[in-house]
């Protein structure tokens, strides 16, 4: 591959860019592998992991900056805050909702209203903390009166959530509600009641579509179905 380790680790040089540093670590680790070591020593594994999650943090931060005070679609007119998403940049599990609501728009954080309380309970029941997973939405700005995001808005914004997924590379995604499943699968006719509970594929990542927590607040009798879906996700994470 023509990759060479640099002679002197540039760590001491002032002004070196973080990305170069991470790249050096990665090349050193790759070199080690090319020498025929199948598994890295534990300390190097930890370095590798740390380098990975530092570069994911940096990439998410860069994406957030790129979105900026976005006016790319008409949802920008009435929103207060862009709600980027939050959580562990190196998460194995990612939740993807639809769009920020009122509380999310005010706080610039995803899922912090009533639906968020229910989602947080699900996450905890699955044995995680909110900070262990990553939570984002298909569109980053609140639609007026919480209407569904429209096709043009989704079409313009969806690239951002797709890039978040591409950076985080979770082992599994749970999509919340019809709009999220529809966007990630590209199936505009999809019926959430028909497809929830079985794994679909998003660019090689298992995708479990389930109900939206706001729907479950209105239809609490369906909560057990979402719990069934969550258990399938947990089984997949355990089996891997
Ligand atoms: Fe930009 Fe997305 Fe907000 Fe539209 S919804 S203004 S594309 S961040
Ligand atoms: N509903 C969503 O889809 N996303 C949020 O962040 C909050 C409510
Ligand atoms: N309809 C939706 O849009 N979402 C759900 O989660 C359930 C029904």
């Amino acid at each position: 591959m023509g990759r060479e380790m640099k002679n002197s680790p540039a760590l001491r040089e002032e002004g070196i860019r973080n990305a170069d540093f991470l790249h050096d670590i990665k090349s050193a680790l790759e070199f080690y592998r090319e020498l025929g070591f199948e598994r890295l020593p534990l300390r190097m594994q930890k370095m590798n992991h740390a380098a990975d999650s530092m570069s994911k943090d940096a990439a998410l931060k860069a994406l957030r900056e790129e979105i900026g005070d976005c006016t790319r679609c008409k949802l920008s007119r009435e929103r207060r805050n862009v709600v980027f998403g939050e959580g562990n940049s190196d998460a194995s599990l990612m939740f993807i909702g639809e769009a920020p609501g009122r509380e999310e728009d005010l706080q610039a954080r995803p899922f912090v209203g009533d639906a968020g309380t229910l989602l947080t309970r699900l996450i905890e029941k699955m044995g995680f903390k909110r900070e262990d997973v990553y939570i984002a939405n298909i569109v980053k700005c609140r639609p007026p009166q919480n209407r569904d995001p429209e096709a043009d808005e989704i079409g313009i914004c969806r690239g951002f959530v797709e890039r978040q997924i591409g950076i985080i590379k979770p082992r599994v995604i749970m999509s919340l509600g019809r709009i999220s499943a529809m966007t990630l699968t590209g199936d505009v006719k999809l019926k959430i009641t028909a497809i929830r509970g079985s794994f679909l594929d998003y660019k090689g990542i298992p995708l479990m579509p389930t109900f939206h927590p706001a729907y479950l607040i209105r239809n609490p009798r369906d909560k057990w179905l979402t719990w069934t879906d969550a258990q399938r996700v947990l089984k997949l994470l355990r089996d891997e």
Side-chain angles (χ1 to χ4, degrees):
M1 296 271 288
R3 273 213 187 82
E4 273 181 6
M5 287 212 302
K6 302 224 168 92
N7 290 333
S8 82
L11 305 185
R12 282 171 244 110
E13 274 177 44
E14 284 286 274
I16 185 170
R17 289 171 43 225
N18 207 13
D20 289 341
F21 168 57
L22 294 170
H23 184 259
D24 284 353
I25 293 179
K26 299 298 267 183
S27 345
L29 294 170
E30 236 151 78
F31 177 73
Y32 197 82
R33 271 204 201 93
E34 279 161 20
L35 291 177
F37 294 91
E38 293 271 302
R39 285 176 63 87
L40 294 169
L42 197 61
R43 275 176 67 191
M44 285 179 90
Q45 279 182 38
K46 283 190 182 146
M47 264 171 78
N48 190 26
H49 197 181
D52 244 359
S53 94
M54 274 168 73
S55 56
K56 288 180 180 185
D57 273 344
L60 286 174
K61 197 154 171 275
L63 176 60
R64 177 63 191 92
E65 274 160 27
E66 183 184 329
I67 295 174
D69 204 4
C70 187
T71 54
R72 292 170 182 82
C73 89
K74 63 187 187 301
L75 289 178
S76 61
R77 291 189 211 134
E78 292 187 50
R79 65 115 203 277
R80 280 186 211 213
N81 287 297
V82 172
V83 181
F84 180 66
E86 67 182 22
N88 178 359
S89 63
D90 205 24
S92 49
L93 173 57
M94 210 170 154
F95 290 89
I96 304 183
E98 178 175 317
R102 186 187 134 77
E103 200 57 37
E104 290 77 20
D105 179 52
L106 290 170
Q107 293 189 36
R109 294 181 57 204
F111 283 101
V112 288
D114 291 341
T117 303
L118 193 56
L119 176 61
T120 304
R121 270 168 49 200
L122 174 70
I123 291 167
E124 288 172 355
K125 198 169 169 190
M126 291 173 81
F128 295 102
K129 297 198 207 86
R130 238 181 103 107
E131 340 45 293
D132 296 333
V133 303
Y134 197 91
I135 306 172
N137 284 305
I138 296 290
V139 299
K140 308 298 187 203
C141 301
R142 182 195 184 198
Q145 284 85 46
N146 295 346
R147 65 159 168 74
D148 284 354
E150 291 167 0
D152 58 325
E153 298 153 356
I154 293 171
I156 294 169
C157 202
R158 62 182 290 168
F160 296 139
V161 76
E162 299 203 48
R163 282 166 66 192
Q164 285 172 302
I165 299 169
I167 292 165
I168 295 163
K169 299 189 178 67
R171 283 158 66 196
V172 55
I173 298 169
M174 276 189 96
S175 65
L176 306 169
R178 187 183 60 85
I179 302 260
S180 177
M182 177 190 86
T183 304
L184 295 174
T185 59
D187 177 1
V188 295
K189 290 197 196 126
L190 150 165
K191 285 205 158 57
I192 189 73
T193 45
I195 58 135
R196 61 139 281 281
S198 306
F199 282 108
L200 300 173
D201 175 89
Y202 173 82
K203 298 185 182 171
I205 301 172
L207 167 71
M208 174 58 74
T210 195
F211 292 125
H212 193 287
Y215 166 83
L216 294 175
I217 290 172
R218 286 177 270 118
N219 301 272
R221 270 185 260 177
D222 281 348
K223 280 184 188 171
W224 71 276
L225 287 168
T226 282
W227 180 237
T228 307
D229 304 344
Q231 283 173 301
R232 289 183 181 135
V233 165
L234 289 174
K235 181 170 190 313
L236 179 134
L237 286 171
R238 268 197 309 270
D239 289 351
E240 267 185 358

